[in-house]
Coordinates of all heavy atoms in Angstrom, one line a residue:
I1 N 3.3 2.9 2.5 CA 2.6 3.9 3.4 C 1.9 3.1 4.5 O 1.0 2.3 4.3 CB 1.6 4.8 2.6 CG1 2.3 5.5 1.5 CG2 0.9 5.7 3.6 CD1 1.4 6.4 0.7
D2 N 2.4 3.3 5.7 CA 1.8 2.7 6.9 C 0.6 3.6 7.4 O 0.8 4.8 7.6 CB 2.8 2.5 8.0 CG 3.6 1.3 7.8 OD1 3.3 0.5 6.9 OD2 4.6 1.1 8.6
L3 N -0.5 3.0 7.7 CA -1.6 3.7 8.3 C -2.0 2.9 9.6 O -2.5 1.8 9.5 CB -2.8 3.8 7.4 CG -2.6 4.5 6.0 CD1 -3.8 4.3 5.2 CD2 -2.3 6.0 6.3
F4 N -1.8 3.5 10.8 CA -2.0 2.9 12.0 C -3.2 3.5 12.8 O -3.5 4.7 12.6 CB -0.8 3.0 13.0 CG 0.4 2.3 12.5 CD1 1.4 3.0 11.8 CD2 0.6 1.0 12.7 CE1 2.6 2.4 11.4 CE2 1.8 0.3 12.3 CZ 2.7 1.0 11.6
G5 N -3.9 2.7 13.5 CA -4.9 3.2 14.4 C -6.3 2.9 14.0 O -7.3 3.4 14.7
A6 N -6.6 2.3 12.9 CA -7.9 2.0 12.4 C -8.6 1.0 13.4 O -7.9 0.0 13.8 CB -7.9 1.4 11.0
R7 N -9.8 1.2 13.8 CA -10.5 0.3 14.6 C -11.0 -0.9 13.8 O -11.2 -0.8 12.5 CB -11.7 1.0 15.3 CG -11.3 2.2 16.1 CD -12.5 2.9 16.7 NE -13.2 2.1 17.6 CZ -13.0 2.1 18.9 NH1 -12.2 3.0 19.5 NH2 -13.7 1.3 19.7
L8 N -11.3 -2.0 14.4 CA -11.7 -3.2 13.7 C -12.9 -3.0 12.8 O -12.9 -3.4 11.6 CB -12.0 -4.3 14.7 CG -12.3 -5.7 14.1 CD1 -11.0 -6.3 13.4 CD2 -12.7 -6.7 15.2
E9 N -13.9 -2.3 13.3 CA -15.1 -2.1 12.5 C -14.9 -1.1 11.4 O -15.8 -1.0 10.5 CB -16.2 -1.7 13.4 CG -16.1 -0.3 14.1 CD -15.3 -0.3 15.3 OE1 -14.7 -1.3 15.7 OE2 -15.2 0.8 16.0
Q10 N -13.8 -0.3 11.4 CA -13.6 0.7 10.4 C -12.9 0.1 9.2 O -12.9 0.6 8.1 CB -12.7 1.8 10.9 CG -13.3 2.7 11.9 CD -12.4 3.7 12.5 OE1 -11.2 3.4 12.7 NE2 -12.9 4.9 12.8
L11 N -12.3 -1.1 9.3 CA -11.5 -1.7 8.2 C -12.3 -1.9 7.0 O -11.8 -1.5 5.9 CB -10.8 -3.0 8.7 CG -9.7 -2.8 9.7 CD1 -9.1 -4.2 10.2 CD2 -8.5 -2.0 9.1
P12 N -13.5 -2.5 7.0 CA -14.2 -2.7 5.8 C -14.6 -1.4 5.1 O -14.6 -1.3 3.9 CB -15.5 -3.4 6.3 CG -15.1 -4.2 7.5 CD -14.1 -3.2 8.2
L13 N -14.9 -0.4 5.9 CA -15.2 1.0 5.3 C -14.0 1.5 4.6 O -14.1 2.1 3.5 CB -15.6 1.9 6.4 CG -16.9 1.5 7.2 CD1 -17.1 2.5 8.4 CD2 -18.1 1.4 6.3
I14 N -12.8 1.4 5.2 CA -11.6 1.9 4.7 C -11.2 1.1 3.4 O -10.9 1.7 2.3 CB -10.4 1.8 5.7 CG1 -10.7 2.8 6.8 CG2 -9.1 2.1 5.0 CD1 -9.7 2.7 8.0
W15 N -11.3 -0.2 3.5 CA -11.0 -1.0 2.3 C -11.9 -0.7 1.1 O -11.5 -0.6 0.0 CB -11.1 -2.5 2.7 CG -10.1 -3.0 3.6 CD1 -8.9 -2.4 3.9 CD2 -10.2 -4.2 4.4 NE1 -8.3 -3.2 4.8 CE2 -9.0 -4.3 5.1 CE3 -11.1 -5.2 4.5 CZ2 -8.8 -5.4 6.0 CZ3 -10.9 -6.3 5.3 CH2 -9.7 -6.4 6.1
Q16 N -13.2 -0.5 1.4 CA -14.1 -0.2 0.3 C -13.8 1.1 -0.4 O -13.8 1.2 -1.6 CB -15.6 -0.1 0.9 CG -16.6 0.0 -0.2 CD -16.7 -1.2 -1.1 OE1 -17.1 -2.3 -0.6 NE2 -16.3 -1.1 -2.4
E17 N -13.4 2.1 0.4 CA -13.1 3.4 -0.2 C -11.8 3.3 -1.0 O -11.7 3.9 -2.1 CB -13.0 4.5 0.9 CG -14.3 4.9 1.5 CD -14.2 6.1 2.3 OE1 -13.7 7.2 1.7 OE2 -14.5 6.1 3.5
L18 N -10.8 2.5 -0.5 CA -9.6 2.4 -1.2 C -9.8 1.6 -2.5 O -9.2 1.9 -3.6 CB -8.6 1.7 -0.4 CG -8.0 2.5 0.8 CD1 -7.1 1.6 1.7 CD2 -7.2 3.7 0.3
I19 N -10.6 0.5 -2.5 CA -10.9 -0.3 -3.7 C -11.6 0.6 -4.7 O -11.3 0.5 -5.9 CB -11.7 -1.5 -3.3 CG1 -10.8 -2.5 -2.6 CG2 -12.3 -2.2 -4.5 CD1 -11.6 -3.7 -2.0
D20 N -12.6 1.4 -4.2 CA -13.3 2.2 -5.2 C -12.4 3.2 -5.8 O -12.7 3.7 -6.9 CB -14.4 3.0 -4.4 CG -15.6 2.0 -4.0 OD1 -15.6 0.9 -4.5 OD2 -16.4 2.4 -3.1
A21 N -11.3 3.6 -5.1 CA -10.3 4.5 -5.7 C -9.3 3.9 -6.6 O -8.4 4.6 -7.1 CB -9.7 5.3 -4.6
G22 N -9.3 2.5 -6.7 CA -8.4 1.8 -7.6 C -7.3 1.1 -6.9 O -6.4 0.5 -7.5
F23 N -7.3 1.1 -5.5 CA -6.2 0.4 -4.8 C -6.6 -1.1 -4.6 O -7.8 -1.5 -4.8 CB -6.0 1.0 -3.4 CG -5.4 2.4 -3.4 CD1 -6.1 3.5 -3.6 CD2 -4.0 2.5 -3.2 CE1 -5.5 4.8 -3.6 CE2 -3.4 3.7 -3.2 CZ -4.2 4.9 -3.4
E24 N -5.6 -1.9 -4.2 CA -5.9 -3.3 -3.8 C -5.0 -3.7 -2.7 O -4.1 -3.0 -2.3 CB -5.7 -4.2 -5.0 CG -4.2 -4.3 -5.5 CD -4.1 -5.1 -6.8 OE1 -5.1 -5.6 -7.3 OE2 -2.9 -5.4 -7.2
T25 N -5.4 -4.8 -2.0 CA -4.6 -5.2 -0.8 C -3.1 -5.3 -1.1 O -2.7 -5.8 -2.2 CB -5.2 -6.5 -0.3 OG1 -4.3 -6.9 0.8 CG2 -5.2 -7.6 -1.3
G26 N -2.3 -4.9 -0.1 CA -0.9 -5.1 -0.3 C -0.3 -6.3 0.4 O 0.9 -6.6 0.4
H27 N -1.2 -7.1 1.1 CA -0.8 -8.4 1.7 C 0.2 -8.2 2.8 O 0.9 -9.2 3.1 CB -0.3 -9.4 0.6 CG -1.4 -9.7 -0.4 ND1 -2.3 -10.7 -0.3 CD2 -1.6 -9.2 -1.6 CE1 -3.1 -10.7 -1.3 NE2 -2.7 -9.8 -2.2
A28 N 0.3 -7.1 3.4 CA 1.3 -6.9 4.4 C 0.9 -7.6 5.7 O 1.7 -7.7 6.6 CB 1.5 -5.4 4.7
Y29 N -0.3 -8.1 5.8 CA -0.8 -8.8 7.0 C -0.4 -10.3 6.9 O -0.6 -11.1 7.8 CB -2.3 -8.7 7.1 CG -3.0 -8.9 5.8 CD1 -3.2 -10.2 5.3 CD2 -3.4 -7.8 5.0 CE1 -3.9 -10.4 4.1 CE2 -4.0 -8.0 3.8 CZ -4.3 -9.3 3.3 OH -4.9 -9.4 2.1
G30 N 0.1 -10.7 5.8 CA 0.5 -12.2 5.6 C 1.9 -12.4 5.3 O 2.7 -11.4 5.2
K31 N 2.3 -13.6 5.4 CA 3.7 -14.0 5.0 C 3.7 -14.1 3.5 O 3.5 -15.1 2.9 CB 4.1 -15.3 5.6 CG 4.0 -15.3 7.2 CD 4.9 -14.2 7.8 CE 4.9 -14.2 9.3 NZ 5.6 -13.1 9.9
S32 N 4.0 -13.0 2.9 CA 3.9 -12.9 1.4 C 4.8 -11.7 1.0 O 5.5 -11.1 1.7 CB 2.5 -12.7 1.0 OG 1.9 -11.6 1.7
L33 N 4.7 -11.4 -0.3 CA 5.5 -10.3 -0.9 C 5.0 -9.0 -0.4 O 3.8 -8.7 -0.5 CB 5.4 -10.4 -2.4 CG 6.1 -9.2 -3.2 CD1 7.6 -9.2 -2.9 CD2 5.8 -9.3 -4.7
R34 N 5.9 -8.2 0.0 CA 5.5 -6.8 0.3 C 5.7 -6.0 -1.0 O 5.8 -6.6 -2.1 CB 6.4 -6.2 1.4 CG 6.4 -7.1 2.7 CD 5.0 -7.2 3.3 NE 4.8 -8.2 4.3 CZ 5.1 -8.1 5.6 NH1 5.7 -7.0 6.1 NH2 4.9 -9.1 6.4
T35 N 5.9 -4.7 -0.9 CA 6.1 -4.0 -2.2 C 7.5 -4.2 -2.7 O 8.4 -4.7 -2.0 CB 5.9 -2.5 -1.9 OG1 6.7 -2.1 -0.8 CG2 4.5 -2.1 -1.7
V36 N 7.8 -3.9 -3.9 CA 9.1 -4.0 -4.5 C 9.7 -2.6 -4.6 O 9.3 -1.7 -5.3 CB 9.0 -4.6 -5.9 CG1 10.4 -4.7 -6.5 CG2 8.3 -5.9 -5.9
K37 N 10.7 -2.4 -3.8 CA 11.4 -1.1 -3.7 C 12.2 -0.8 -5.0 O 12.8 -1.7 -5.6 CB 12.3 -1.1 -2.5 CG 13.0 0.3 -2.2 CD 13.8 0.2 -0.9 CE 14.4 1.6 -0.6 NZ 15.1 1.5 0.7
S38 N 12.3 0.5 -5.4 CA 13.0 0.8 -6.6 C 13.6 2.2 -6.5 O 13.0 3.1 -5.9 CB 12.0 0.7 -7.8 OG 12.7 1.1 -9.0
C39 N 14.7 2.4 -7.2 CA 15.2 3.7 -7.5 C 14.5 4.2 -8.7 O 13.6 3.5 -9.3 CB 16.7 3.7 -7.7 SG 17.2 2.8 -9.1
V40 N 14.8 5.4 -9.2 CA 14.2 5.9 -10.4 C 14.8 5.4 -11.7 O 14.2 5.6 -12.8 CB 14.2 7.5 -10.4 CG1 13.4 8.0 -9.2 CG2 15.6 8.1 -10.4
G41 N 15.9 4.8 -11.6 CA 16.5 4.1 -12.8 C 16.8 5.1 -13.9 O 17.0 6.3 -13.8
S42 N 16.8 4.5 -15.1 CA 17.1 5.3 -16.3 C 16.0 6.3 -16.7 O 16.3 7.2 -17.5 CB 17.3 4.3 -17.5 OG 16.1 3.5 -17.7
S43 N 14.9 6.2 -16.0 CA 13.8 7.2 -16.3 C 14.2 8.6 -15.9 O 13.9 9.6 -16.6 CB 12.5 6.8 -15.5 OG 12.0 5.6 -16.0
W44 N 15.0 8.7 -14.8 CA 15.3 10.1 -14.3 C 16.7 10.2 -13.8 O 17.2 11.3 -13.6 CB 14.4 10.4 -13.1 CG 13.0 10.6 -13.5 CD1 11.9 9.8 -13.4 CD2 12.4 11.8 -14.0 NE1 10.8 10.3 -13.8 CE2 11.1 11.6 -14.2 CE3 13.0 13.1 -14.4 CZ2 10.2 12.6 -14.8 CZ3 12.2 14.0 -14.9 CH2 10.8 13.8 -15.1
C45 N 17.5 9.1 -13.7 CA 18.8 9.2 -13.1 C 19.9 9.1 -14.3 O 19.8 8.2 -15.1 CB 19.1 8.1 -12.1 SG 20.7 8.2 -11.4
R46 N 20.9 10.0 -14.3 CA 21.9 9.9 -15.3 C 22.7 8.7 -15.2 O 23.4 8.3 -16.2 CB 22.7 11.2 -15.2 CG 23.5 11.4 -13.9 CD 24.4 12.6 -13.9 NE 24.9 12.9 -12.6 CZ 26.0 13.6 -12.4 NH1 26.6 14.1 -13.5 NH2 26.5 13.8 -11.2
Y47 N 22.8 8.0 -14.1 CA 23.6 6.8 -13.9 C 22.8 5.5 -14.3 O 23.4 4.5 -14.4 CB 24.1 6.7 -12.5 CG 25.0 7.8 -12.1 CD1 24.6 8.7 -11.0 CD2 26.2 8.0 -12.7 CE1 25.5 9.7 -10.6 CE2 27.1 9.1 -12.3 CZ 26.7 9.9 -11.3 OH 27.5 11.0 -10.9
G48 N 21.5 5.6 -14.4 CA 20.7 4.5 -14.6 C 20.9 3.9 -16.0 O 21.0 4.6 -17.0

């Protein structure tokens, strides 16, 4: 999920609320692993 347009001084406020809700950094700002994309697999798909 991309969220664009946050001002510099808003970032700590946003991060704090996300952390309090159980989220953590996704490291999309660095040269590192992004998320791991997946289909629904055997949980929901008859072909999985």
